[in-house]
Amino acid sequence: MQLKESTPSSFPGAGDVLIASPELDDPHFAASIVYLISCDEEGAMGVILNRPVGKTLGHLLNSTSLPPFLQNLPLFYGGPVQADQFLLALFSRASEAEHRLCCCLEPTAEEIESRIQSDTGWLRALVGYAGWSAGQLEAECARGDWTWQPSDDALVRCGCNTHQWDLLHSGDERWQSLRPYFPKEWGRN
């Protein structure tokens, strides 16, 4: 997997991940990996994947009525927009043949249950999200604030790996050789 260069003819799209440049000094995005949920001429929306908050959804909601898998779902900082709100993101493979991800925001209980039980989806609880107005992300990419590449299910499955940004930013792809050693319940490698 080769990082795409920031050129006028290539631009990240929905389903890609943005990798912050080491020079990006915005504290909200420094050393971050952002999954792009949508990206078009009107703007872009995404969620930061590598910022665990150190709490669970059950702790945030202070509710014992949640099912155990939701009670214990780790909480992640998704971005600075509406950081006082939480959202659920259901990630799954775009197809059986590839590791690329697609994302459904605020899935229904039926979608969550179906995907989780069949081990074809990975739920993420997020506080806030990342957003860019029309032209803003293009300008940041042209300035060199971001590189990007297709998403990969291991980015979500590895969860709290704080070294993900180091690996992606440096172009180190050795982590992909670990796929055969991922837990069996992660399904198809």
Side-chain angles (χ1 to χ4, degrees), residues 155-176:
L155 293 173
V156 175
R157 291 176 176 213
C158 289
C160 300
N161 186 337
T162 57
H163 301 289
Q164 288 171 324
W165 178 83
D166 293 324
L167 292 172
L168 289 176
H169 178 263
S170 69
D172 187 337
E173 297 178 4
R174 292 178 293 173
W175 61 274
Q176 291 185 10

Side-chain angles (χ1 to χ4, degrees), residues 69-70 73-74 88-91 104 107 112 116 121-125 156:
F69 81 95
L70 287 177
L73 190 64
L88 291 176
L90 182 62
F91 290 92
C104 172
I112 293 170
I116 300 299
W122 311 280
L123 194 60
R124 183 66 66 96
V156 175

Side-chain angles (χ1 to χ4, degrees), residues 54-84:
K55 296 182 180 178
T56 64
L57 185 59
H59 182 266
L60 173 74
L61 297 178
N62 197 20
S63 171
T64 57
S65 64
L66 291 173
F69 81 95
L70 287 177
Q71 273 288 351
N72 301 318
L73 190 64
L75 193 59
F76 286 78
Y77 173 73
V81 180
Q82 293 185 351
D84 61 340

Side-chain angles (χ1 to χ4, degrees), residues 20-22 24-33 48 50-51 146 165:
S21 161
L24 184 61
D25 59 0
D26 180 333
H28 297 292
F29 296 107
S32 67
I33 301 168
I48 299 173
N50 63 330
R51 295 264 177 89
W146 303 98
W165 178 83

Side-chain angles (χ1 to χ4, degrees), residues 70-173:
L70 287 177
Q71 273 288 351
N72 301 318
L73 190 64
L75 193 59
F76 286 78
Y77 173 73
V81 180
Q82 293 185 351
D84 61 340
Q85 304 285 320
F86 88 93
L87 58 101
L88 291 176
L90 182 62
F91 290 92
S92 59
R93 282 188 179 176
S95 76
E96 286 293 319
E98 61 181 337
H99 293 283
R100 190 172 175 86
L101 289 171
C102 58
C103 178
C104 172
L105 286 182
E106 300 301 323
T108 66
E110 293 79 23
E111 289 172 317
I112 293 170
E113 186 176 343
S114 171
R115 290 290 188 168
I116 300 299
Q117 285 183 353
S118 66
D119 194 32
T120 59
W122 311 280
L123 194 60
R124 183 66 66 96
L126 300 145
V127 177
Y129 64 90
W132 293 266
S133 60
Q136 185 179 5
L137 184 56
E138 289 99 333
E140 290 178 13
C141 289
R143 193 171 51 233
D145 291 345
W146 303 98
T147 55
W148 57 92
Q149 68 183 46
S151 60
D152 190 289
D153 60 348
L155 293 173
V156 175
R157 291 176 176 213
C158 289
C160 300
N161 186 337
T162 57
H163 301 289
Q164 288 171 324
W165 178 83
D166 293 324
L167 292 172
L168 289 176
H169 178 263
S170 69
D172 187 337
E173 297 178 4

